[in-house]
Amino acid sequence: MLPVKSLPVQVTLILAMIVLLSQTFTEAQTRQQYELNSISFSGNTKVSSGNLEQIIYTVESPVWLWKFINSFSGFGAPPVYFDSTTIQYDMRALSEYYTSNGFFQAEFNYSYTLDSVEKVANLRYEISEGVQSKYGEIEFFGFPREDPGLVAEAVKGFPADSTMFFNQSVVKAGIDNITVFFENNGYMLARFDSTIILRDTVSNRAHLQIYLFLGKKYSISSLSVEKKGEGSDAVEDEMLIRLVGIKNGETYNLERIRLSQVRLYRTGLFSSVALNPLFSDTVNSTVPLMISGTIGNIHELSPEILMNNQSNTFNVGAGGIFVKKNFLGEARKLSISGSAGYRDIFRTNFDRMFKTFSLQDTTIKGYVDAAFRIEQPYIFNRPILGTFETYFRINKEDNSNKRNYGGKLSLEFELPRYTFINFITAYYNLEVADELFPSISGIKQINKTLSILGADLRSSHVDNPLFPTKGYNFSFLVEEANLLDYGVTNLFGSEFNGTLFYKTAITGAYYFSLNRNLTSVLGVKLKTGHLQAYAGDDAGIATTRRYTAGGSNSIRGWAARQLAPAEIRVLDNEQVIVQGGNFILEGSVELRMKVFGDFGYAAFVDYGNVWKNHTRFNIPEVAVAGGLGLRYYSPFAPFRIDFGIKVYDPYDKRPISRKKFFGELMEYHFGIGEAF
């Protein structure tokens, strides 16, 4: 045999590098990334593809615009590449979703294609849904046998019946309702244990066996106080116990305890406060409650930088407030405040801003106010928040200067969260309303004295007050003006020369989530209001009580109060323009989307107008606006800027193409909080 000669070291290294590079190149080819172009579904007749896209983990690659923005900034979204390992998680998510909605025999498959030329992938899920099952027999275990009436009342909170399709989220909500019901009726330890679902695939029924643990029925044995902080010595324990309003021997009620804790916190005495049962001290089916909290300074003096969205405009100002807590005992709170600012700051003429705040200057709109307020958290020995306020306000608007001063007594009633109406405020307001108008010869003035009895009823049942994704808000306002004044005047034999009128306003807003991760929401609002004089001259109604439309919380294609009938009145032989109507109709449809974390956008359509009275309502006079807005959802409130366009202007029938985009068509509005 010929001897084998070893290769030189240099040649060996070169060969090794060639082998390594070839392997790397081969692996790179096998790991070729394909952008996920589309996800589709077939066979899903009962569940929409849009809902299924929100259920699975895999997502399509974003549109080119978001990818382009992401390529040079931290915004937008990067491309999404196909990963076959996530398919198993998608299949599991689809199976769980269909099972939780009664499709117990659903089957799933998938397929995908890879385009090596375009470097894109298309993923397809094939679904055989089968028959959807309805509820069958529903049995509960763990109910107390000694109180069948309470059990019958509790079962009413379970919404499912044999006519409905099985839905696991409905079952969970029903169990939660029953558990909360027992917690509010003495069963402090009530909790859900387990559920057995018996699937009957022959009759397509889901039979339920629901097991609860309730424990004993408890009553309250005592209330104690544990407080600390700088102001703790100035607050009496007995007063706090009275404020809670729960007596020894009462049946344990979780809802009442929560309401009492809110009442304690709203006094402003506490920086933190809790009202909790002492589980370790339960004796013979009784449990004590303890108030524990930290009480801060009794006196506070605070400067304020003000930004708000009142009067449908973005306002900026400054002010200050002095607060004395526990004023004269009984958790009363004394507040003295004052503020001043400019309205619609982004449209302010800054050259003139610091030169004048006179009535004749129509380029500046602003306000000045001062208020003295006393709040009493427990009125008539009941959990009623009473507020007395006296105030002075000046509002500078385009064509007039409104000056209002007077006093207001309000009573706010506590209601459980689960009732339809969960907020009621009744009030009496005695106000002097003066309106000053510029004219050629000087200032013309209209004076009105208003004696108003009113009530504000609200219903809030949304999942998130800052970004509601489901539920509704509803409010009903009713006011009557001057009837009390009329009665007193006639009682003493004098003649009443004012106007008697009433005012109503109804607003409803509904929210619907469009996807599973609650980032896409459709909101719908409808508002109507009516104002009418039933004795005396309609001209005697103060303009501060009349309706106007337009602005950031109204019809966003128009500036604030721009939609309002104008009436010419003669004062001292001179004409002045008075704005405002007696009937309003407004509505909005808005799509809200969270796109990148706390950033999002909105697309909206607003419509409505204000008429002199309800008999003048005319559909061709309904103004329509559409537009887009940007959102930043901060921890305490959304910040927004909306760009509204006059889609249909009942006062200018020219085609849109003949109008100037800036100045005639588009309005912008900056706001804090959503439009509704």
Side-chain angles (χ1 to χ4, degrees), residues 350-539:
F350 288 96
D351 292 335
R352 303 174 60 91
M353 183 174 180
F354 298 102
K355 295 180 181 179
T356 179
F357 192 71
S358 69
L359 176 65
Q360 285 78 8
D361 186 356
T362 59
T363 64
I364 297 176
K365 294 178 284 187
Y367 65 93
V368 176
D369 65 46
F372 175 94
R373 173 183 294 190
I374 294 177
E375 297 178 31
Q376 169 70 44
Y378 212 69
I379 302 292
F380 309 130
N381 203 31
R382 302 288 297 170
I384 302 171
L385 176 65
T387 303
F388 172 73
E389 177 184 18
T390 180
Y391 57 87
F392 176 82
R393 303 183 186 121
I394 295 177
N395 283 287
K396 171 70 181 66
E397 297 180 359
D398 288 331
N399 301 309
S400 65
N401 186 356
K402 294 181 174 64
R403 184 173 62 198
N404 305 78
Y405 54 92
K408 185 176 183 180
L409 176 64
S410 303
L411 301 176
E412 182 180 323
F413 297 86
E414 251 178 36
L415 293 173
R417 292 176 298 175
Y418 53 80
T419 58
F420 173 64
I421 299 295
N422 48 27
F423 179 93
I424 296 179
T425 300
Y427 55 89
Y428 174 70
N429 188 188
L430 181 63
E431 178 178 280
V432 177
D434 298 336
E435 189 164 11
L436 291 80
F437 300 88
S439 67
I440 297 175
S441 61
I443 303 299
K444 303 300 179 184
Q445 184 170 335
I446 298 177
N447 304 98
K448 298 285 185 300
T449 299
L450 304 174
S451 175
I452 297 171
L453 284 168
D456 185 9
L457 291 78
R458 299 183 189 176
S459 175
S460 180
H461 293 273
V462 294
D463 57 343
N464 184 340
L466 297 182
F467 187 75
T469 63
K470 63 179 180 179
Y472 61 88
N473 287 321
F474 172 83
S475 67
F476 176 65
L477 174 73
V478 57
E479 293 183 342
E480 192 287 324
N482 297 330
L483 180 61
L484 186 61
D485 241 13
Y486 173 81
V488 172
T489 302
N490 281 272
L491 183 65
F492 289 96
S494 301
E495 184 179 355
F496 181 76
N497 297 319
T499 300
L500 276 62
F501 64 92
Y502 66 87
K503 179 179 181 179
T504 60
I506 302 174
T507 305
Y510 298 84
Y511 309 94
F512 310 90
S513 177
L514 301 181
N515 58 11
R516 195 181 184 189
N517 54 8
L518 306 180
T519 58
S520 177
V521 178
L522 181 68
V524 180
K525 181 192 83 169
L526 183 64
K527 173 183 177 180
T528 184
H530 180 57
L531 174 68
Q532 183 172 350
Y534 63 90
D537 187 2
D538 182 83

Side-chain angles (χ1 to χ4, degrees), residues 302 304 306 318-322 336-340 367-372 392:
S302 306
E304 295 178 318
L306 302 174
I321 182 170
F322 168 77
I336 302 173
S337 62
S339 63
Y367 65 93
V368 176
D369 65 46
F372 175 94
F392 176 82

Side-chain angles (χ1 to χ4, degrees), residues 11 36 80 90 112 114 128 133 140 197 200 272 278 282 326 361 408 416 458 473 484 490 527-528 558 563 581 590 593:
V11 175
L36 186 53
V80 175
D90 291 347
Y112 60 85
L114 302 177
S128 175
S133 296
F140 294 93
I197 303 174
D200 185 347
S272 64
L278 299 177
T282 57
N326 207 33
D361 186 356
K408 185 176 183 180
R458 299 183 189 176
N473 287 321
L484 186 61
N490 281 272
K527 173 183 177 180
T528 184
W558 280 261
L563 285 171
E590 182 167 291
M593 297 282 291

Side-chain angles (χ1 to χ4, degrees), residues 88-101:
Q88 59 180 319
Y89 302 110
D90 291 347
M91 298 282 280
R92 187 181 306 164
L94 290 170
S95 178
E96 291 175 354
Y97 176 80
Y98 270 91
T99 299
S100 67
N101 283 275

Side-chain angles (χ1 to χ4, degrees), residues 242-316:
R242 288 198 307 275
L243 191 60
V244 167
I246 298 176
K247 303 290 191 299
N248 295 347
E250 282 190 21
T251 300
Y252 177 90
N253 186 313
L254 180 61
E255 181 69 20
R256 282 206 64 191
I257 291 172
R258 287 174 175 169
L259 287 173
S260 296
Q261 181 171 317
V262 171
R263 194 183 312 136
L264 288 169
Y265 189 78
R266 289 180 63 180
T267 63
L269 294 171
F270 296 91
S271 56
S272 64
V273 63
L275 177 61
N276 292 317
L278 299 177
F279 296 103
S280 59
D281 294 340
T282 57
V283 177
N284 296 328
S285 299
T286 63
V287 61
L289 296 179
M290 173 172 280
I291 306 166
S292 56
T294 301
I295 299 176
N297 289 326
I298 298 298
H299 300 88
E300 292 181 358
L301 179 61
S302 306
E304 295 178 318
I305 300 297
L306 302 174
M307 291 188 295
N308 59 52
N309 222 51
Q310 295 177 355
S311 301
N312 289 326
T313 61
F314 181 69
N315 313 311
V316 175

